[in-house]
Amino acid sequence: MAVCVAVIGKDNSPLYIGGVGNDTSSDNELSRQWLVHTALDALEERLATTNTNNTGTNSNAARTDLRDLYLGLLYSTDTHKIYGYVTNTRIKLVLVTSSTSPSGSNIRDAEVRTALRRLHALYADAICNPFHLPGDQITSPKFDKQVKNIMLNNV
């Protein structure tokens, strides 16, 4: 089951961090932020290795790698698995799932990929709002509701 979803800007500032559950205590919120920020290190490392592999190879192979925005499992802990996705504009999407719940231990990679693609589409819709300033946090209740719907139903 998905625990947390984050949208991180180009400069690694959080644009949106949302979680599922009734526990809104500050400890739970801090643990979510900690998981997301530690995932950024793995995400940046994966992006750096992708960029160095693409230099010096032919352009068709580079185009194939750049089109695949899904980075897969970034890392896992005893209680969580963290997946990453990067848009063409270097906006990072992070999905944290629980590996201790019965449904969380057997999540397929295709389900996570689909959820992150849907999250990317929701993000694109949210920033197309003419009143949204680029780089600002996403505070739309509609976006929050749709993200939580993805987290509860798809992953």
Side-chain angles (χ1 to χ4, degrees), residues 33-44:
Q33 288 183 10
W34 180 78
L35 285 168
V36 169
H37 284 291
T38 54
L40 286 178
D41 293 333
L43 211 148
E44 292 292 332

Side-chain angles (χ1 to χ4, degrees), residues 47-144:
L47 287 175
T49 58
T50 303
N51 288 340
T52 57
N53 288 343
N54 285 341
T55 57
T57 60
N58 65 20
S59 61
N60 287 339
R63 261 189 249 125
T64 303
D65 289 340
L66 290 175
R67 270 188 267 155
D68 190 21
L69 305 174
Y70 176 66
L71 297 176
L73 180 68
L74 297 175
Y75 75 96
S76 62
T77 64
D78 292 339
T79 58
H80 296 94
K81 292 182 181 179
I82 294 95
Y83 298 89
Y85 185 96
V86 178
T87 68
N88 289 333
T89 57
R90 295 293 183 203
I91 301 296
K92 300 155 196 83
L93 307 174
V94 178
L95 176 72
V96 180
T97 62
S98 173
S99 58
T100 58
S101 69
S103 64
S105 60
N106 58 3
I107 294 176
R108 290 187 297 234
D109 206 40
E111 294 171 346
V112 174
R113 183 185 299 254
T114 302
L116 285 169
R117 282 187 181 156
R118 288 182 181 161
L119 181 63
H120 183 194
L122 288 178
Y123 169 74
D125 288 344
I127 63 167
C128 285
N129 180 352
F131 299 107
H132 177 75
L133 296 174
D136 281 357
Q137 289 191 343
I138 301 169
T139 57
S140 167
K142 180 180 177 184
F143 178 78
D144 189 48

